[in-house]
Amino acid sequence: MRNKLIETRKTGRRTRTSHAQVVDELGKAIVAGTYPVGSILPGDTELAQRFKVSRTVLRETMKTLAAKGMVVAKARVGTRVTEKNLWNMFDSEIIAWHFDNDVTEEFLLQLYDIRLAVEPFAAGLVAERANAEEIETLRGLAEEMAASGHTADSLALADLHFHLALAEASHNPFMRTLGSLIEAALVGMFRISTPPSENGFANIAETHMRIVDAIASGDSAAARRAMEVVILDGRDHVREAFATSDSPAATEPLSPEISPK
């Protein structure tokens, strides 16, 4: 499974191809509203001069953004930014661009809506399908959350590893493709929240171990309920963070290993 939001930035953006760089810059600008819905993007000549790239690169860039549902090209009109309901919100780059522009409470809560709709059912599937090795892997990942000395970064990463492993253990490829959504929700929660010792994350290992225990006993209903508790707890942390801060999303970002790329 590709973990787009936690890929390290050690090599930096300069190693990207020209195409990837232009896609990233224009994508972020569209999400930020620099080019609002319904607006026409600058023409090829202006963009070519701005980004120092060829028209071929620009054509490929527009094809990429169009494939994401963000723009549509019309003859004699130009390339127009589409309505947001046409964007592919399962696209990991679109999710990352939202984080690059101070992610909102609404966006994070929408991610939790999707998690509630999918992950409890996935936990139920794991209770029915997981083998002994997969269960032990999940147990080890839950125990890792109880390790002493966790920072917000390391705890978020441990949490993420657990949920991605659970999606894999469902033996359903559609569940695996939701990894970027799970990742975004967890990154968002830990990014805007206070350190784990101060905000009630101390019981995170216990709540995740309840999921594992239910899975190990083959109780799919209990696994679903335990997963719901974990997700609702995370959603509550998001709401609390926004309720107690004017702009919690603008706090110091997490380290490169877990920050949105």
Side-chain angles (χ1 to χ4, degrees):
M1 181 182 294
R2 294 175 299 172
N3 302 334
K4 293 294 186 181
L5 292 179
I6 59 168
E7 287 176 350
T8 179
R9 291 190 230 177
K10 291 179 181 177
T11 57
R13 293 178 186 266
R14 290 176 296 179
T15 60
R16 293 182 179 182
T17 64
S18 297
H19 167 258
Q21 289 176 353
V22 180
V23 168
D24 186 61
E25 291 300 321
L26 288 179
K28 285 193 296 184
I30 291 171
V31 170
T34 303
Y35 301 117
V37 168
S39 66
I40 303 298
L41 294 182
D44 285 356
T45 300
E46 180 180 341
L47 290 177
Q49 291 176 347
R50 180 187 307 178
F51 294 111
K52 310 300 184 195
V53 296
S54 67
R55 290 178 181 269
T56 300
V57 169
L58 289 176
R59 284 195 294 270
E60 292 303 312
T61 295
M62 296 309 165
K63 287 180 182 179
T64 299
L65 293 175
K68 297 176 185 295
M70 301 180 77
V71 301
V72 60
K74 291 187 177 296
R76 295 184 297 278
V77 175
T79 302
R80 180 176 57 83
V81 178
T82 59
E83 297 288 337
K84 289 186 177 182
N85 61 359
L86 298 177
W87 299 3
N88 177 13
M89 296 305 296
F90 288 85
D91 185 284
S92 59
E93 285 190 304
I94 292 180
I95 294 172
W97 292 331
H98 279 80
F99 278 83
D100 284 336
N101 289 285
D102 287 341
V103 66
T104 65
E105 179 181 15
E106 179 185 24
F107 181 77
L108 284 176
L109 293 180
Q110 288 168 344
L111 287 173
Y112 275 91
D113 287 343
I114 296 298
R115 290 190 68 194
L116 278 172
V118 175
E119 284 193 84
F121 186 76
L125 290 181
V126 176
E128 298 170 3
R129 301 174 179 179
N131 57 43
E133 181 179 355
E134 290 168 330
I135 293 172
E136 285 310 302
T137 295
L138 289 170
R139 189 176 301 279
L141 291 171
E143 290 173 349
E144 184 180 337
M145 297 181 201
S148 60
H150 267 306
T151 63
D153 295 38
S154 63
L155 187 58
L157 197 58
D159 196 0
L160 173 61
H161 287 161
F162 177 92
H163 287 275
L164 295 183
L166 187 140
E168 289 284 347
S170 72
H171 296 275
N172 184 319
F174 293 100
M175 295 296 181
R176 297 168 189 159
T177 62
L178 296 177
S180 60
L181 298 181
I182 298 169
E183 191 174 359
L186 292 174
V187 168
M189 178 181 70
F190 284 96
R191 181 181 179 184
I192 67 175
S193 297
T194 54
S197 61
E198 300 176 17
N199 63 4
F201 287 151
N203 68 338
I204 192 169
E206 178 183 343
T207 57
H208 283 71
M209 191 60 75
R210 289 174 190 158
I211 299 174
V212 178
D213 289 341
I215 289 171
S217 65
D219 191 336
S220 59
R224 288 195 296 271
R225 290 193 298 270
M227 179 61 80
E228 285 178 358
V229 169
V230 165
I231 297 171
L232 290 172
D233 186 53
R235 189 177 68 178
D236 288 344
H237 280 296
V238 169
R239 286 175 168 162
E240 290 168 5
F242 276 91
T244 58
S245 175
D246 291 334
S247 57
T251 58
E252 184 67 22
L254 296 172
S255 69
E257 285 72 22
I258 194 162
S259 296
K261 69 175 186 176

